Amino acid sequence: MKKIDINKLVLDIIIVTIGCILTAFSITSILKPNGLITGGITGISIILESFIHIKYTYIYYVLSILVLLSAWLTMGKKEALKIITLSIFFPLVLIVLENIDYSFIQNDMLLSCVYFGIIYGLGVGLVLKRGFSFGGTDTIAKVLHCKLFNFISISEILLAIDGAIIAYSAIVYSKNIALYAIISQFITMKVIDSVMFGFTSKKVQIEIISSKHEEITNYVLHTIRRGVSTYDIKGGYNKQLRLKLQIVCSPRESMLIKSFIAKVDPDAFIHVVPIISVWGKGAGFNRLVEEN
């Protein structure tokens, strides 16, 4: 095994372990002590605990193994291997931290759901960024999409599952608990996105339709020093063939390009779209293969 692979493996273990600890801590020390609820297998486990009176950590372990087996049987070994590590390891971390019985915040529901969303999102984001998965309701959504609802997108199925869990919590507990769950879910998703892709959009994609496309291309290539892709397009109204330029650059560079185009072709059409992340060879782009 190459040294770079060993380094990556060690880094994966460290970061995933930290991610699991943060995620488990947010559940055992913030969510559960304050009587809050969330989506996913965690939410299902906590709700089932109130009915069958078995600790939610053990219910979580059983459900994780069932999800793992379902993924293996329905989608094959390759899909199951993506979640096998955390399906076994994370429930153990959850059980250990639950037995420590430490409450981080008490008697403040709003602050609790905010802290939970931040810490839980940070933990999950670290795990996902290393290419691992907890094998929760996202895997259940994949199984349902594969076997039953292939006409519905996975994201829509996942939204329906988590939405149903939170809605049911309003019946089992109260409407306030469900509302706090929605708040924490929103914060969690924002934190996960920030961990995985950064706090702001660092790149933009510009699409330009202009009669001065040669001048604009030369400016971008030689002054801005960015690549330009060209596409032949046809207008829907006049059916004329035009050339569209596509550029990926920083927000600052997009403003320089806009200023230049305003001088050479004020009638140009410019479409700017923020990009979460860019992978590939180029100035300011993330490398496709990370050297960890």
Side-chain angles (χ1 to χ4, degrees):
M1 184 181 288
K2 296 180 180 179
K3 185 178 180 180
I4 186 171
D5 293 331
I6 296 174
N7 291 338
K8 183 179 184 302
L9 178 62
V10 171
L11 193 59
D12 281 345
I13 292 172
I14 293 171
I15 293 178
V16 169
T17 300
I18 293 172
C20 286
I21 291 172
L22 288 172
T23 304
F25 173 81
S26 68
I27 295 170
T28 60
S29 300
I30 303 175
L31 186 79
K32 193 65 170 64
N34 289 281
L36 294 171
I37 198 72
T38 187
I41 291 182
T42 303
I44 297 173
S45 303
I46 293 173
I47 291 173
L48 286 176
E49 181 186 46
S50 63
F51 288 103
I52 61 179
H53 305 295
I54 297 175
K55 289 194 73 170
Y56 74 96
T57 49
Y58 301 123
I59 297 173
Y60 188 104
Y61 212 147
V62 172
L63 291 177
S64 293
I65 299 300
L66 289 176
V67 170
L68 174 62
L69 291 175
S70 298
W72 191 300
L73 294 174
T74 58
M75 295 183 290
K77 178 181 177 181
K78 184 178 180 180
E79 195 67 31
L81 288 175
K82 294 179 182 178
I83 64 172
I84 189 169
T85 302
L86 268 72
S87 293
I88 296 172
F89 177 65
F90 177 69
L92 290 175
V93 177
L94 195 64
I95 290 171
V96 170
L97 291 187
E98 175 67 20
N99 289 329
I100 293 176
D101 193 23
Y102 171 74
S103 294
F104 183 64
I105 298 174
Q106 287 183 320
N107 304 319
D108 193 327
M109 299 287 277
L110 182 58
L111 195 59
S112 296
C113 81
V114 171
Y115 268 106
F116 169 76
I118 293 172
I119 298 175
Y120 186 87
L122 181 59
V124 173
L126 289 173
V127 171
L128 294 179
K129 192 166 186 177
R130 302 308 298 179
F132 291 82
S133 172
F134 283 95
T137 47
D138 56 332
T139 302
I140 297 174
K142 287 181 182 179
V143 172
L144 291 175
H145 174 76
C146 179
K147 292 300 178 180
L148 296 174
F149 306 110
N150 52 18
F151 53 91
I152 303 176
S153 69
I154 293 174
S155 60
E156 289 174 336
I157 296 173
L158 181 59
L159 180 63
I161 294 172
D162 287 340
I165 295 168
I166 293 174
Y168 190 68
S169 71
I171 300 172
V172 176
Y173 301 105
S174 69
K175 289 183 287 185
N176 285 349
I177 294 297
L179 180 59
Y180 285 127
I182 294 171
I183 295 172
S184 64
Q185 198 85 347
F186 177 79
I187 295 171
T188 295
M189 296 309 298
K190 290 297 181 182
V191 173
I192 290 173
D193 287 344
S194 297
V195 171
M196 294 185 69
F197 304 113
F199 289 98
T200 59
S201 176
K202 299 177 182 178
K203 297 290 179 290
V204 295
Q205 176 180 291
I206 311 175
E207 295 180 347
I208 305 164
I209 301 173
S210 170
S211 58
K212 304 289 186 179
H213 54 81
E214 290 185 2
E215 293 179 45
I216 297 170
T217 299
N218 287 331
Y219 175 77
V220 173
L221 290 175
H222 302 298
T223 303
I224 302 299
R225 297 189 179 278
R226 287 289 184 185
V228 180
S229 299
T230 60
Y231 302 90
D232 290 324
I233 59 170
K234 181 188 287 187
Y237 178 71
N238 54 24
K239 309 299 180 183
Q240 290 183 353
L241 287 174
R242 303 287 297 275
L243 196 68
K244 180 174 74 173
L245 309 180
Q246 182 174 291
I247 305 153
V248 176
C249 61
S250 69
R252 176 184 171 277
E253 289 167 340
S254 72
M255 296 309 296
L256 295 174
I257 294 170
K258 176 192 170 187
S259 298
F260 176 79
I261 296 173
K263 296 175 183 177
V264 299
D265 185 10
D267 296 325
F269 177 83
I270 304 175
H271 181 215
V272 182
V273 181
I275 299 176
I276 293 176
S277 185
V278 179
W279 296 317
K281 187 177 180 180
F285 296 166
N286 297 325
R287 290 179 57 85
L288 190 59
V289 178
E290 296 182 0
E291 295 181 358
N292 295 316

